[in-house]
Amino acid sequence: MQTWVILLPNMKPRVYGARIAARVLLRRLWVESKVRDARTVLRSAPDLAAADLELKVERVPGILGENQIAGALDRAQRRIQVATRFRITSQRFTLAHELGHFLLHPGRVYFRDRELSAPGDHREYVEIEADAFAAEFLMPRSFLNRVFTEMFGGPIDGTVPDQKLAVAVSAGMGTRVKWIPEEFASLRPLERACAIASAHTYRGRFFASLTDQFGVSQKALGIQLLQMGLVK
């Protein structure tokens, strides 16, 4: 669903509004929860929110017989369907995306959404807004910024060759890729951000990767890091 887009001036207020709506809902869940660990609350937030909004969530193998449909919202039935044929990280983002549609777009009764949008595809404002809601709901900017700073010390300029960074992202990729600094610096921004999102070590420290901590895909987290300016 989510894709990296450049926000035009007339789109920004709507995206900001979507983020605020996500923060308001998260705040309500936090106040109502007896759990005081932010990561635990974020992990269960989509299902907690659906219950809070009295929405039924159905996890089904496929939706309307179409392989590429990841989620659907039927407002009249107060029902969200999530396709289980996709990875759990994708399912979480899909559920959050449909919650965004429910809260932000009351004038539309039904939505069907694919898992990912191809780069450059034209997208309706409502889809960009639902993505912004889901991203903020699953990866709140203030909390992500704090966690990222604790792990990496601050924003990372991946365009500058860095041996320690190359080692860190190579470790996150397992045995599949071993980057040398110049090669990693020459990657596309989203590729660098996705690799950093999966890193579990940096400058001699070990930690759970951002993707593991937030329970989202490399791509979703990579886009969020880029849009926040935490990675270049």
Side-chain angles (χ1 to χ4, degrees), residues 22-229:
R23 292 169 196 159
V24 170
L25 182 56
L26 271 178
R27 178 62 182 171
R28 190 163 83 218
L29 296 179
W30 176 258
V31 170
E32 294 174 354
S33 175
K34 296 180 180 179
V35 178
R36 294 293 90 184
D37 179 70
R39 292 173 179 82
T40 301
V41 173
L42 286 174
R43 283 280 186 169
S44 55
D47 286 292
L48 290 174
D52 185 75
L53 295 168
E54 299 182 345
L55 293 169
K56 181 181 180 181
V57 178
E58 295 179 350
R59 291 175 169 84
V60 295
I63 298 173
L64 298 177
E66 295 191 33
N67 290 335
Q68 295 185 18
I69 300 299
L73 166 66
D74 186 334
R75 186 180 301 276
Q77 299 294 323
R78 300 189 72 87
R79 180 183 67 196
I80 292 175
Q81 290 183 310
V82 178
T84 57
R85 64 183 303 273
F86 298 98
R87 293 183 178 182
I88 190 65
T89 52
S90 175
Q91 293 177 45
R92 294 184 73 248
F93 196 92
T94 295
L95 178 51
H97 181 98
E98 301 306 334
L99 290 170
H101 280 315
F102 181 80
L103 291 171
L104 300 171
H105 310 125
R108 289 181 58 168
V109 176
Y110 195 76
F111 289 90
R112 287 188 306 166
D113 294 294
R114 296 175 182 269
E115 180 193 23
L116 295 171
S117 298
D121 278 0
H122 173 73
R123 308 188 70 221
E124 293 184 80
Y125 281 179
V126 292
E127 298 304 328
I128 295 172
E129 288 176 309
D131 274 353
F133 176 94
E136 184 66 22
F137 191 68
L138 298 174
M139 303 165 282
R141 288 181 164 221
S142 60
F143 184 57
L144 177 55
N145 183 72
R146 185 163 76 247
V147 173
F148 189 91
T149 301
E150 290 172 355
M151 294 169 63
F152 298 101
I156 292 176
D157 185 352
T159 64
V160 178
D162 183 324
Q163 179 64 35
K164 290 185 173 62
L165 181 60
V167 169
V169 295
S170 295
M173 300 296 289
T175 59
R176 290 176 294 166
V177 178
K178 297 297 181 185
W179 296 110
I180 62 173
E182 291 74 18
E183 286 179 335
F184 184 72
S186 68
L187 295 176
R188 291 179 297 178
L190 183 55
E191 290 177 318
R192 286 196 298 269
C194 287
I196 291 169
S198 298
H200 53 75
T201 181
Y202 187 63
R203 296 183 180 273
R205 297 178 59 244
F206 292 86
F207 39 70
S209 68
L210 289 169
T211 52
D212 286 342
Q213 291 188 57
F214 287 87
V216 297
S217 68
Q218 284 186 349
K219 183 175 182 181
L221 228 159
I223 290 171
Q224 188 77 326
L225 294 176
L226 288 171
Q227 291 185 341
M228 290 174 62

